[in-house]
């Protein structure tokens, strides 16, 4: 099954997005970019599901008799996941604004105690 | 025997001190000592009333509550437990009176905390004494550590905190070894009930050896066998009545009591004959006796000298139990009591001297016997009792210990015991000598007159308890069977553990 | 059997959250009252549900009438019922006890605070009762969303801690989601029970990758070492009222989710994968037990210390789960409840100390000495329970996990538990020493918290004692039926 996955383009895109997201999160001192990286990472997860629902030669899952359909369930779930992701993004940006109000910057600063 | 009046007495004996502790905390400062005295009387009475039942050969049981499926919080009074319970509860009465006097004489701060912790310590000691299985025993053993911690750090100095931390680390660390050993033993045998002669007879080989190491290192902390003794001298920063309680009654006695329980009621002579564990333990105890004595000789601080003396005499008891011989067990049981009486007398004297004169070093005691004759008479009796001079109670227990060594054919142990008695004399008797016979130089001239002129004894609340305990040292030594239930009980314990008896 | 009782556990706090937010906007104080009533109702329902489940067996609800695999199944079995009851009861006690905290720290944001608490509660309940892997993700995110907001409402440094929490937490959730994707690819269903039956025949490589991703994601939410890095800052910077609610509940529910996934999804026959996952969890738990406790000992900030203590206690849970025998599992499940009680009491007390006495650091606790006897007594009980002193409940959690380790002859884990316990002695007495024995420094002279706080703290401490002394019944009545493998 893993060969099938590799054979499909969307899975490569998934991996690319995930890695790019992680890179953004880890490497940048700008917190906004970290949040953007996080969103990329979430999108990667969503893309994974969408890619899973794809069936060779199937049609869009709108009720039509006799045709083979793409699996509609992942699409439904990913709608939820997208909503959740956007909500998280909203909260993140709101928090970013508070950070800016408090410290005057959204660069990772020497606040000292964020780590472990 | 379960239920009935004896079971109620067991509950009373264990619960009363804890209740007293709570009452002391919640009532105002006035009632502080009174609650302690009342509770001490009730506890001791309950323990004494249990004596006839236990001496009749019955075992009193009280199931409190099941804790783990198959394991109960179980109180059970047998001979060994009763000896320790009687010792702790009766000495609580005198220590309580003494503490009141000491607190007044030294203007002790935080008295409520002090007396509450004191009461809780006794309650935990009673629980240790009357525990019917290892889990119950462990519960009270840990409670004892925690209840005595506030006493160790009572002076709230940095030295006290360091001593307290060391005490906790050693004791709770030992507790973890005990816990591991206990769970393992439970999984191997399906029981944790103390049985005379032990319950580990199904276990053999390496497992038995590892269990022995875990069990013994768990209980060796409180019984201060080297190299696990370091907490004890450090804990000397506590107020003197605490030292008396820690070193003569509750904590260390709980340690040696635990050692006897583990050797006699968990392992038993049959299991112990299978490997060299007891010999190693005996060797450690013997080494502790010798080295402890040598260190004690060099201490100038009176309490530290007494502390090392405690380390030494605890190892006597451990050695007696580790001989795995009936007479050794009798001697250990008796020495638990006799050392308790003699050592509490000595600590009471040290405290009385400090409370009255603020002196705590041996070198400052010159001629003081003339100023505080009663105190130093008691000190002399305590010293002689500890050395084991015939006529004193210590003689009888050391006699049995020696017989145990002969019975086990362990001549090294015998030599160590007798030699260490001489060493005991060398670190205790000089104190008596300089106190009473400071030499003409000190007594002549202005200094001597001043000493005699300012004869001032310790206050009665300090003096009476120490005279009582000193008297007991003599009474138990001169007319043992007439007054001491412990003799009969000790023989009974040995018979039960070794089966048949000799 | 089919029942609508489980879904109420989620719906009551969720709807109350919405209603509270709207009504609270117009009527002052309404938010608080609605929250307390809703929490009480949830607690009542959860207890009712627990006894019903124990009496007649597991309760199922198919959401909107759709059966699995398409519909979402809600499942209340003895385990989820026990956890739900624990969470609901502790949550109610903590919210009621922290009324003064929230009033003092969030004077103008009460309108937001209470609905957020309820939303968090509904998310936690959702995590507890769901029988669907994807729904679990959604519920985790609902709970987390509220949690991020609550942390950000704190004082200086809180937004930064909240963002840190958000990034790590969302990363964890995304990892979990990806894991779910792999499992879906392998089995074609997301219903836990169905996945469990299909895993054995599925592609084991996909299952393994999916399993590791899911465990990693849940471990992040649970604060399992080494994914605990968000926790200390979040819990020490959050408003004390929020911290008192989150610290006892959020990580515990995530630990439950981990146990649910490990034993109800992966234990379904995929032996190799399962063993590997359990081994990873056990070792992470052992590391957490040691390092969490040692790091706790090294802290000066009181609430950071408590947060690291949670890392250690969650390690005990993970270790118990990873050992995967009945004894250790009993300990793991029990310790979830234990840590909820202990951290509830301690974070409430820490909040009171901050608000009334200005105490942030452990050493400043001396200010409470003699001023707050009830709180001091409760801290002693909770602290000793943390160390594992019998007969308090914390002892028995440790007892069972330790027993489980000895049963398997895993001596490294035995040593880890011992070291963790000794370090716990260290950090608990770092709290108790100033509280009882150090002379107070200068600070605001104040009195104990209000009666609600005292009652809440005393209730939690009493529960620790009751669950300890009555441990035999706790195990036989509630936990044994909840063990995996015994559930129909």
């Amino acid at each position: 099954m893993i060969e099938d996955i590799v054979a499909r383009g969307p899975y490569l895109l998934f991996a690319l997005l995930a890695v790019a997201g992680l890179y953004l999160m880890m490497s940048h001192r700008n917190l906004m970019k970290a949040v953007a990286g996080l969103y990329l990472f979430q999108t990667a997860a969503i893309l994974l599901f969408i890619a899973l629902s794809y069936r060779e030669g199937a049609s869009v899952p709108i009720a039509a008799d006799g045709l083979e359909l793409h699996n509609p369930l992942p699409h439904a779930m990913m709608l939820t996941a997208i909503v959740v992701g956007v909500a998280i993004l909203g909260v993140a940006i709101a928090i970013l604004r508070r950070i800016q109000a408090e410290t005057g910057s959204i660069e990772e600063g020497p606040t000292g105690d964020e780590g472990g | 025997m379960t239920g009935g009046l004896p079971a109620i007495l067991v509950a009373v004996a264990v619960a009363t001190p804890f209740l007293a502790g709570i009452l002391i905390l919640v009532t105002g400062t006035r009632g502080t000592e009174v609650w302690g005295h009342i509770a001490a009387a009730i506890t001791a009475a309950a323990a004494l009333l249990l004596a006839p039942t236990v001496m009749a050969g019955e075992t009193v049981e009280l199931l409190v509550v099941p804790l783990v499926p198959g394991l109960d919080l179980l109180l059970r009074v047998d001979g060994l437990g009763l000896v320790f319970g009687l010792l702790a509860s009766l000495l609580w009465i005198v220590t309580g009176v003494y503490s009141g006097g000491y607190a007044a004489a030294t203007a002790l701060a935080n008295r409520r905390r002090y007396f509450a912790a004191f009461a809780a310590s006794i309650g935990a000691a009673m629980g240790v004494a009357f525990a019917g299985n290892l889990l119950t025993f462990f519960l009270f053993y840990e409670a004892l550590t925690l209840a005595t911690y506030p006493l160790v750090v009572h002076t709230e100095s940095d030295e006290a905190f360091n001593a307290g931390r060391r005490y906790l680390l050693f004791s709770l660390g030992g507790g973890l070894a005990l816990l591991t050993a206990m769970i393992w033993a439970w999984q191997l045998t399906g029981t944790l009930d103390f049985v005379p002669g032990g319950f580990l007879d199904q276990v053999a080989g390496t497992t038995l050896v590892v269990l022995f190491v875990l069990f013994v290192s768990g209980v060796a902390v409180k019984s201060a066998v080297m190299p696990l003794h370091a907490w004890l001298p450090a804990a000397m920063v506590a107020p003197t009545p605490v030292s008396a309680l820690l070193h003569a009654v509750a904590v260390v006695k709980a340690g040696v009591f635990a050692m006897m329980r583990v050797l006699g009621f968990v392992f038993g002579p049959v299991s112990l004959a299978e490997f060299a564990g007891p010999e190693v333990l005996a060797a450690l105890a013997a080494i502790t006796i010798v080295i402890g004595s040598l260190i004690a000789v060099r201490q100038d601080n009176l309490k530290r000298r007494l502390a090392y003396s405690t380390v030494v005499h605890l190892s006597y008891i451990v050695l007696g139990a580790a001989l795995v011989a009936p007479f050794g067990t009798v001697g250990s049981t008796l020495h638990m009591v006799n050392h308790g009486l003699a050592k509490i007398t000595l600590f009471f004297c040290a405290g009385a001297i400090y409370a009255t004169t603020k002196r705590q070093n041996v070198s400052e005691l010159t001629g003081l016997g003339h100023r505080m004759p009663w105190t130093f008479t008691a000190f002399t009796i305590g010293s002689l009792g500890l050395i084991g001079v015939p006529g004193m109670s210590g003689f009888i227990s050391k006699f049995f210990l020696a017989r145990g060594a002969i019975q086990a054919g362990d001549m090294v142990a015998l030599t160590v015991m007798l030699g260490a008695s001489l060493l005991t004399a060398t670190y205790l008797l000089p104190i008596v000598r300089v106190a009473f016979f400071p030499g003409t130089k000190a007594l002549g001239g202005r200094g001597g007159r001043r000493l005699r002129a300012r004869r001032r004894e310790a206050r009665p609340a300090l003096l009476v308890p120490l005279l009582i305990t000193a008297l007991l040292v003599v009474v138990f030594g001169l007319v043992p069977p007439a007054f001491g239930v412990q003799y009969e009980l000790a023989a009974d314990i040995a018979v039960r553990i070794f089966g048949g008896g000799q | 059997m089919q029942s609508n009782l489980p879904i109420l556990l989620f719906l009551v706090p969720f709807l109350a959250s919405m209603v509270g937010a709207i009504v609270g906007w117009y009527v002052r104080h309404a938010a608080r009252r609605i929250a307390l009533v809703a929490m009480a109702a949830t607690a009542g329902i959860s207890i009712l549900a627990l006894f019903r489940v124990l009496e007649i067996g597991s309760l199922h609800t198919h959401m909107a009438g759709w059966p699995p695999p398409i519909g979402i199944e809600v499942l209340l079995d003895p385990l989820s019922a026990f956890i739900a009851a624990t969470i609901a009861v502790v949550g109610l006690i903590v919210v009621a006890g922290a009324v003064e905290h929230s009033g003092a720290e969030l004077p103008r944001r009460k309108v937001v605070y209470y609905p957020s608490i309820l939303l968090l509660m509904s998310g936690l309940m959702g995590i507890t009762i769901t029988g669907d892997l994807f729904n679990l993700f959604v519920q985790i995110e609902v709970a987390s969303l509220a949690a991020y907001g609550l942390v950000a409402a704190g004082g200086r440094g809180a937004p930064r801690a909240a963002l840190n929490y958000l990034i790590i937490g969302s990363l964890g959730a995304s990892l979990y989601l990806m894991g779910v994707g792999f499992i879906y690819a392998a089995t074609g269903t997301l219903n836990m029970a169905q996945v469990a039956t299909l895993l054995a025949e599925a592609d084991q490589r996909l299952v393994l990758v999916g399993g590791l991703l899911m465990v990693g994601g849940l471990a992040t939410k649970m604060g399992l070492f080494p994914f605990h890095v968000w926790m200390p800052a979040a819990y020490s910077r959050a408003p004390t009222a929020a911290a008192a609610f989150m610290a006892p509940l959020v990580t515990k529910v995530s630990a439950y989710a981990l146990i649910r996934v490990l034993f109800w999804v992966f234990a379904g026959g995929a032996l190799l994968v399962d063993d590997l996952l359990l081994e990873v969890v056990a070792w992470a738990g052992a590391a957490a037990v040691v390092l969490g406790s040692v790091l706790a000992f090294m802290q000066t900030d009181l609430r950071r210390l408590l947060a690291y203590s949670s890392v250690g206690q969650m390690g005990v849970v993970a270790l118990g789960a990873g050992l995967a025998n009945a004894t250790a599992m009993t300990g793991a499940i029990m310790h979830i409840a234990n840590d909820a009680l202990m951290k509830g009491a301690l974070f409430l007390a820490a909040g009171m100390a901050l608000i009334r006495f200005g105490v942030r650091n452990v050493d400043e606790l001396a200010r409470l000495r003699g001023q707050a006897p009830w709180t001091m007594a409760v801290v002693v009980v909770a602290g000793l329970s943390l160390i594992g002193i019998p007969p308090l409940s914390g002892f028995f959690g440790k007892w069972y996990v330790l027993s489980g380790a000895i049963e398997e002859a895993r001596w490294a884990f035995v040593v880890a538990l011992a070291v963790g316990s000794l370090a716990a002695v260290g950090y608990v007495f770092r709290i108790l020493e100033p509280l009882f024995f150090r002379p107070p420094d200068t600070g605001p002279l104040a009195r104990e918290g209000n009666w609600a706080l005292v009652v809440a703290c005393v209730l939690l401490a009493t529960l620790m004692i009751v669950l300890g002394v009555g441990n035999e019944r706790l195990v036989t009545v509630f936990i044994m039926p909840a063990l995996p493998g015994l559930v129909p």
Side-chain angles (χ1 to χ4, degrees), chain B residues 139-152:
Chain B
L139 190 153
F140 286 109
Y141 200 68
E142 298 282 78
L144 182 59
T145 304
L146 296 168
T148 44
Y149 172 80
L151 298 172
V152 173

Short mmCIF file of all heavy atoms in Angstrom, two decimals, chain B residues 139-152:
data_model
loop_
_atom_site.label_atom_id
_atom_site.label_comp_id
_atom_site.label_asym_id
_atom_site.label_seq_id
_atom_site.Cartn_x
_atom_site.Cartn_y
_atom_site.Cartn_z
N LEU B 139 2.61 1.54 56.72
CA LEU B 139 1.80 2.75 56.86
C LEU B 139 2.23 3.54 58.10
O LEU B 139 2.48 4.74 58.05
CB LEU B 139 0.34 2.32 56.95
CG LEU B 139 -0.77 3.35 56.88
CD1 LEU B 139 -2.01 2.66 56.34
CD2 LEU B 139 -1.10 3.94 58.23
N PHE B 140 2.34 2.85 59.22
CA PHE B 140 2.70 3.55 60.45
C PHE B 140 4.18 3.91 60.49
O PHE B 140 4.57 4.91 61.10
CB PHE B 140 2.31 2.70 61.67
CG PHE B 140 0.83 2.69 61.92
CD1 PHE B 140 0.09 1.56 61.67
CD2 PHE B 140 0.19 3.82 62.38
CE1 PHE B 140 -1.28 1.55 61.89
CE2 PHE B 140 -1.17 3.82 62.59
CZ PHE B 140 -1.91 2.69 62.36
N TYR B 141 4.98 3.11 59.83
CA TYR B 141 6.41 3.38 59.78
C TYR B 141 6.66 4.71 59.06
O TYR B 141 7.45 5.54 59.50
CB TYR B 141 7.07 2.23 59.03
CG TYR B 141 8.55 2.05 59.26
CD1 TYR B 141 9.04 1.65 60.49
CD2 TYR B 141 9.44 2.23 58.22
CE1 TYR B 141 10.38 1.44 60.69
CE2 TYR B 141 10.81 2.03 58.40
CZ TYR B 141 11.27 1.63 59.63
OH TYR B 141 12.61 1.44 59.81
N GLU B 142 5.95 4.92 57.94
CA GLU B 142 6.07 6.19 57.22
C GLU B 142 5.48 7.32 58.05
O GLU B 142 6.02 8.43 58.08
CB GLU B 142 5.35 6.11 55.87
CG GLU B 142 5.89 5.07 54.91
CD GLU B 142 7.15 5.50 54.20
OE1 GLU B 142 8.21 5.45 54.85
OE2 GLU B 142 7.09 5.89 53.03
N ALA B 143 4.35 7.04 58.70
CA ALA B 143 3.73 8.07 59.53
C ALA B 143 4.69 8.50 60.63
O ALA B 143 4.77 9.69 60.98
CB ALA B 143 2.43 7.54 60.14
N LEU B 144 5.43 7.56 61.16
CA LEU B 144 6.39 7.87 62.22
C LEU B 144 7.46 8.83 61.70
O LEU B 144 7.81 9.80 62.36
CB LEU B 144 7.02 6.56 62.71
CG LEU B 144 8.02 6.66 63.86
CD1 LEU B 144 7.36 7.28 65.07
CD2 LEU B 144 8.56 5.29 64.21
N THR B 145 7.96 8.55 60.50
CA THR B 145 8.96 9.44 59.90
C THR B 145 8.40 10.86 59.80
O THR B 145 9.05 11.84 60.19
CB THR B 145 9.33 8.95 58.50
OG1 THR B 145 9.79 7.62 58.59
CG2 THR B 145 10.40 9.83 57.89
N LEU B 146 7.18 10.96 59.27
CA LEU B 146 6.62 12.29 59.03
C LEU B 146 6.27 12.99 60.33
O LEU B 146 6.42 14.21 60.44
CB LEU B 146 5.38 12.17 58.14
CG LEU B 146 5.71 11.64 56.75
CD1 LEU B 146 4.45 11.27 56.01
CD2 LEU B 146 6.49 12.68 55.97
N ALA B 147 5.80 12.22 61.32
CA ALA B 147 5.41 12.85 62.57
C ALA B 147 6.62 13.35 63.34
O ALA B 147 6.54 14.35 64.07
CB ALA B 147 4.62 11.87 63.43
N THR B 148 7.77 12.70 63.17
CA THR B 148 8.94 13.14 63.91
C THR B 148 9.69 14.25 63.18
O THR B 148 10.49 14.96 63.78
CB THR B 148 9.91 11.98 64.18
OG1 THR B 148 10.03 11.21 62.99
CG2 THR B 148 9.39 11.11 65.29
N TYR B 149 9.41 14.42 61.88
CA TYR B 149 10.12 15.46 61.13
C TYR B 149 9.96 16.84 61.75
O TYR B 149 10.96 17.57 61.93
CB TYR B 149 9.67 15.45 59.66
CG TYR B 149 10.21 16.61 58.86
CD1 TYR B 149 11.51 16.58 58.37
CD2 TYR B 149 9.43 17.73 58.63
CE1 TYR B 149 12.00 17.65 57.66
CE2 TYR B 149 9.92 18.80 57.92
CZ TYR B 149 11.21 18.76 57.43
OH TYR B 149 11.70 19.83 56.73
N PRO B 150 8.71 17.26 62.11
CA PRO B 150 8.58 18.58 62.72
C PRO B 150 9.38 18.71 64.01
O PRO B 150 9.82 19.81 64.36
CB PRO B 150 7.08 18.70 63.02
CG PRO B 150 6.43 17.73 62.13
CD PRO B 150 7.40 16.61 61.94
N LEU B 151 9.60 17.60 64.70
CA LEU B 151 10.37 17.65 65.94
C LEU B 151 11.85 17.85 65.63
O LEU B 151 12.54 18.59 66.33
CB LEU B 151 10.17 16.36 66.74
CG LEU B 151 8.74 16.09 67.18
CD1 LEU B 151 8.61 14.71 67.79
CD2 LEU B 151 8.29 17.16 68.16
N VAL B 152 12.32 17.17 64.59
CA VAL B 152 13.74 17.30 64.25
C VAL B 152 14.07 18.74 63.84
O VAL B 152 15.08 19.29 64.23
CB VAL B 152 14.11 16.32 63.12
CG1 VAL B 152 15.53 16.55 62.65
CG2 VAL B 152 13.95 14.89 63.59
#
